[in-house]
């Protein structure tokens, strides 16, 4: 069989994998072995699976393939942020960004190529949706990061890649089935094994799917609020016209996985003169009453042609003070990886023009 006609096994559930193995005459118990090698140890070839006899390794190799998306760019920022531009077989590209911190690190994973929701401050929103990512494409981003960081066979406490945030390109709840399938595989304790407590899904507010996300996946929720009244939110986060603030906040109050220890994050992009006044901050506090919440203030990350500017540092601090004084934690998100185009969706469009002090690890 050529590679072309082989079946890709990344992204299959255990049950689906068992069915495929059995079709070619392999026993069901092989599922567990293959799963552990592939997702637990990062094997990319069947001949690395030393607990499986040679003959079965060959049978696997004849029919199946363990594949990653192709790495088009692999950039390392001076601050340690690492960004991959990944290409799928159909030539579509997405970005995946690893943001290391002192004792942990989060991988920002994409869920779609482009996005259908045209938030006016978001660069991805200017790119027409090309397609939903399949479970395999989503898991592939995580596997590329573990490969690149060389963390497959490290002790868990020595790993820097600890968390996942579904905050890359696309709206994860507009591609719920594939995202859910991928996250269930990523959370599997015999594989990649990143727990639901270390995964955060960010949504612009696809209200009907928020409850399902909490019940079925139990991951942390982040909500891109960005405005405190419907008139402004209708404009900058247009899905608000369908699911206005009141409905969105009710879904947050009802979110099954939220409790005191696991608060909902409200993301709020700071746009100069648009949503950043003291009155906005006070209204935000009023809206969040009764919700176990924290607020993440995001300095607007400008892109060429964007109709906004970022609020001044003083303005952001004054806004944060009001939210803090009301008892909500409101850190200002540090801008990371500026030199490698860390703003959502920018590397993809600007890659040809990219220059500066970044290191292209692929070119070395
Ligand atoms: N579609 C989802 C997740 C991807 S966007 C969502 O909207 O939540 C991840 C976060 O980045 C969102 O809060 C989004 O509003 C924010 N964002 C998008 N473009 C940005 C920009 N140029 N500057 C700052 N934040 C931005
Ligand atoms: Fe899509 Fe999120 Fe960007 Fe809005 S902010 S256009 S939902 S990716």
């Amino acid at each position: 069989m050529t590679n072309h006609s082989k079946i890709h096994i990344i992204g299959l559930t255990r049950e689906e994998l068992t069915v495929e193995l059995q079709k070619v005459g392999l026993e069901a118990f092989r599922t567990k072995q293959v799963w552990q090698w592939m997702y637990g140890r990062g094997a990319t070839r069947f001949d690395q699976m030393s607990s499986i006899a040679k003959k079965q390794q060959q049978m696997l190799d004849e029919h199946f393939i363990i594949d990653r998306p192709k790495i088009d760019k692999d950039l390392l920022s001076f601050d340690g942020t690492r960004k991959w531009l990944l290409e799928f077989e159909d030539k579509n590209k997405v970005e995946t960004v690893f943001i290391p911190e002192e004792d942990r690190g989060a991988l920002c994973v994409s869920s779609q190529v482009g996005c259908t929701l045209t938030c006016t401050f978001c660069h991805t929103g200017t790119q027409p949706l090309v397609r939903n990512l399949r479970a395999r494409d989503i898991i592939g981003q995580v596997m590329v990061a573990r490969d690149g960081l060389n963390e497959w066979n490290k002790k868990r406490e020595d790993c820097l890649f600890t968390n996942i945030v579904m905050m890359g390109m696309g709206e994860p709840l507009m591609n719920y089935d594939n995202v859910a399938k991928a996250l269930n595989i990523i959370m599997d304790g015999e594989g990649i094994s990143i727990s639901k407590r270390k995964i955060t899904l960010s949504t612009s507010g696809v209200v009907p799917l928020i409850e399902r996300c909490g019940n079925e996946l139990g991951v942390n929720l982040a909500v891109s609020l960005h405005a405190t009244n419907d008139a402004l939110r209708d404009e900058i986060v247009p899905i608000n016209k369908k699911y206005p603030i009141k409905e969105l906040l009710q879904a947050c109050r009802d979110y099954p996985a939220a409790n005191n220890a696991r608060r909902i994050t409200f993301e709020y992009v700071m746009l100069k003169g648009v949503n950043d006044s003291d009155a906005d901050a006070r209204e935000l506090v009023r809206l969040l009453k009764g919700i176990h919440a924290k607020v993440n203030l995001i300095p607007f990350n400008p892109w060429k042609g964007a109709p906004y500017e970022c609020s001044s540092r003083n303005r952001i601090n004054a806004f944060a003070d009001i939210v803090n004084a009301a008892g909500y934690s409101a850190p200002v998100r540090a801008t990371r990886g500026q030199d490698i185009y860390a703003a959502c969706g920018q590397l993809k469009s600007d890659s040809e023009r990219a220059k500066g002090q970044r290191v292209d690890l692929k070119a070395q």
Side-chain angles (χ1 to χ4, degrees), residues 128-179:
L129 175 74
V130 184
R131 71 169 169 88
N132 281 332
L133 295 189
R134 302 158 296 186
R136 148 152 70 106
D137 306 329
I138 296 167
I139 300 166
Q141 297 174 61
V142 174
M143 300 183 92
V144 163
R146 274 226 171 136
D147 294 342
L149 297 164
N150 201 9
E151 290 195 343
W152 281 109
N153 293 312
K154 271 196 190 151
K155 278 206 245 92
R156 185 55 66 84
E157 58 269 29
D158 295 335
C159 288
L160 202 50
F161 171 11
T162 53
N163 290 58
I164 289 179
V165 290
M166 295 300 302
M167 287 186 190
M169 300 167 65
E171 167 51 54
L173 295 187
M174 294 296 277
N175 183 20
Y176 181 80
D177 290 342
N178 289 316
V179 168

Side-chain angles (χ1 to χ4, degrees), residues 268-271 276 297-300 310-324 330-333:
Y268 197 94
V269 63
M270 299 301 295
L271 304 172
D276 63 352
L297 298 176
I298 316 175
F300 171 62
C310 184
S311 312
S312 70
R313 196 69 213 187
N314 281 346
R315 183 85 303 270
I316 296 177
N317 289 341
F319 194 101
D321 286 347
I322 293 173
V323 181
N324 274 319
V332 180
R333 190 193 286 174

Side-chain angles (χ1 to χ4, degrees), residues 121-122 167-168 170-171 202-204 224 226 267 269 300-301 303:
F121 52 85
C122 174
M167 287 186 190
E171 167 51 54
S202 174
T203 180
S204 56
S224 295
H226 305 318
E267 295 162 279
V269 63
F300 171 62
N301 210 334
W303 37 275

Side-chain angles (χ1 to χ4, degrees), residues 235-261:
E235 186 188 318
I236 66 177
V237 185
I239 198 175
N240 194 68
K241 290 186 218 150
K242 209 162 173 189
Y243 309 114
I245 293 175
K246 199 163 165 233
E247 287 177 31
L248 175 59
L249 294 181
Q250 192 54 47
C252 293
R253 285 196 181 83
D254 299 340
Y255 190 64
N259 56 39
N260 239 336

Side-chain angles (χ1 to χ4, degrees), residues 3 10 29-30 53 59 71 77 79 90-91 99 103 121 124 127 130 143 173 184 187 262 265 267 276 288 315 339:
N3 266 0
I10 289 186
F29 76 89
R30 299 283 177 202
M59 287 167 77
I71 298 174
S77 165
D79 69 8
D90 60 3
K91 305 283 176 217
I99 305 159
D103 54 352
F121 52 85
T124 305
Q127 306 169 12
V130 184
M143 300 183 92
L173 295 187
N184 277 320
M187 293 189 285
R262 298 176 72 199
T265 304
E267 295 162 279
D276 63 352
L288 297 185
R315 183 85 303 270
D339 54 326

